Amino acid sequence: MEKLCNFNHEFIIVHLLLFASLLSFTNPTPSPTQDEQSQIISRFQEYLRINTSQPSPDYKKSTQFILTLAESLSLETQVIEFVQGKPLVILKWPGSDLSLPSILLNSHTDVVPSESSKWDYHPFGAHIDENGNIFARGSQDMKCVGMQYMEAVRRLKASGFQPKRSLYLSFVPDEEIGGHDGLEKLAQSDVFKNMNVDIILDEGLASPNENYRLFYGERTPWWLVIKATGAPGHGAKLYDNSAMENLFKSIESIRRFRASQFDLVKAGLKGEGEVISVNMAFLKAGTPSPTLMQNPWRNG
Ligand SMILES: [Zn+2]
């Protein structure tokens, strides 16, 4: 279950400071008042209550919600559907020096599915308990980030700040199913080229406490299929060079490599993001045959 612990203005301030350094802005704005804080939480809850879970996210509602917020911040808006029914919402705060490359703050609007019967509170209720914890699917991954961007922009605007570089906010669909119809299409488009982006902030790992960790790397998946071949033979006999024996040689060397990488993490010598993680995800081998089941001493 996703629970966003003690969501309060500290999260907003972290992003604000981050943007401030990106925007060469050094005077932090004052902390939000009690009233402003409850408005921030209400807006966040409203976003969480929109059911954008795969496989049928309500992108119409989330788009409308984002556009309404953008309007209240006087941001330029653009909705692009590279694939019908899968809108990308792009907001722009134009910079004062258009010759400078821009900053892009990305978040995805969809969330993974949830089984409400297994939740203490409804996954789209955005319930707040007495400790200030907010319960909702997407509270961490990653509607909180999208809303932090918005709230940081709101505070910067209210302080009279004007960025030198243009600032873009993108709200993209379908990240949870690969992003092919969302960010992937944007990255390949002229729209993106014209945005002249210099740096992008995206999601990291959810945090179970108030420590906000920043990541500056991306892991790259590499799917590897190993197909082993070898000599056929009677299942009850010992012989060399069978397909299974050859396959095990590969599996064993991968297993050893995996253990060596994992040992570095366990020993605290390397972080999770500094090693190569490898996992065997699927194994299909052999030909089901009565021969394998026979007792050779009884049946020959
Ligand atoms: Zn995510």
Side-chain angles (χ1 to χ4, degrees):
M1 179 188 303
E2 275 177 83
K3 181 184 74 172
L4 190 59
C5 295
N6 300 317
F7 182 87
N8 61 28
H9 66 277
E10 283 177 39
F11 285 95
I12 305 295
I13 287 171
V14 169
H15 259 97
L16 184 67
L17 292 175
L18 202 59
F19 300 157
S21 55
L22 281 173
L23 298 166
S24 317
F25 178 69
T26 45
N27 296 324
T29 55
S31 296
T33 63
Q34 199 65 35
D35 192 40
E36 282 167 338
Q37 278 194 47
S38 67
Q39 285 176 22
I40 291 170
I41 302 288
S42 298
R43 285 190 286 267
F44 181 45
Q45 283 177 296
E46 202 183 327
Y47 191 23
L48 291 172
R49 286 179 185 136
I50 302 169
N51 185 341
T52 49
S53 63
Q54 294 290 354
S56 45
D58 192 343
Y59 287 140
K60 242 186 196 160
K61 253 193 193 163
S62 60
T63 300
Q64 199 45 56
F65 172 76
I66 295 158
L67 289 177
T68 305
L69 278 189
E71 207 172 292
S72 73
L73 295 168
S74 307
L75 296 172
E76 292 178 14
T77 63
Q78 193 179 5
V79 180
I80 308 171
E81 290 193 17
F82 292 107
V83 175
Q84 209 190 352
K86 302 194 169 184
L88 281 90
V89 187
I90 300 175
L91 312 178
K92 183 182 180 184
W93 185 3
S96 57
D97 185 348
L98 296 178
S99 68
L100 291 174
S102 67
I103 297 164
L104 173 61
L105 309 175
N106 181 63
S107 67
H108 59 85
T109 47
D110 62 325
V111 301
V112 291
S114 51
E115 296 170 77
S116 56
S117 62
K118 295 181 180 165
W119 285 57
D120 291 339
Y121 305 99
H122 193 278
F124 297 99
H127 173 79
I128 305 182
D129 71 9
E130 62 280 5
N131 300 315
N133 296 318
I134 300 176
F135 293 78
R137 172 61 88 221
S139 57
Q140 297 243 15
D141 183 12
M142 66 174 291
K143 286 178 171 173
C144 66
V145 179
M147 289 307 287
Q148 286 167 70
Y149 293 154
M150 287 289 216
E151 299 301 343
V153 167
R154 184 182 299 278
R155 291 190 62 202
L156 285 169
K157 282 217 161 201
S159 74
F161 175 73
Q162 165 64 53
K164 259 190 191 164
R165 294 165 184 267
S166 291
L167 183 72
Y168 288 97
L169 283 77
S170 52
F171 291 82
V172 301
D174 281 12
E175 192 270 352
E176 299 294 3
I177 53 169
H180 306 296
D181 293 341
L183 197 56
E184 188 177 312
K185 290 267 191 307
L186 176 68
Q188 295 162 349
S189 71
D190 283 341
V191 178
F192 185 70
K193 222 178 264 170
N194 294 333
M195 286 161 73
N196 189 21
V197 175
D198 215 18
I199 185 168
I200 302 177
L201 295 190
D202 202 351
E203 70 181 299
L205 274 183
S207 173
N209 54 42
E210 297 218 351
N211 296 326
Y212 200 97
R213 291 191 289 167
L214 299 180
F215 299 85
Y216 54 85
E218 183 68 276
R219 316 202 84 188
T220 309
W222 180 37
W223 290 97
L224 184 67
V225 177
I226 298 172
K227 194 171 177 182
T229 54
H234 194 284
K237 291 203 167 184
L238 291 172
Y239 59 97
D240 277 328
N241 196 32
S242 74
M244 203 70 86
E245 190 188 10
N246 291 339
L247 179 65
F248 273 118
K249 284 179 195 160
S250 298
I251 292 174
E252 178 52 21
S253 70
I254 292 169
R255 193 202 63 76
R256 255 185 268 132
F257 176 75
R258 183 186 193 279
S260 72
Q261 295 287 291
F262 205 4
D263 283 347
L264 292 172
V265 177
K266 285 176 181 167
L269 297 170
K270 291 251 169 117
E272 253 181 324
E274 295 171 315
V275 294
I276 296 170
S277 55
V278 53
N279 286 298
M280 189 166 77
F282 182 72
L283 176 65
K284 182 174 173 240
T287 307
S289 144
T291 311
L292 295 172
M293 312 304 290
Q294 280 176 352
N295 177 338
W297 304 117
R298 200 172 58 213
N299 299 323

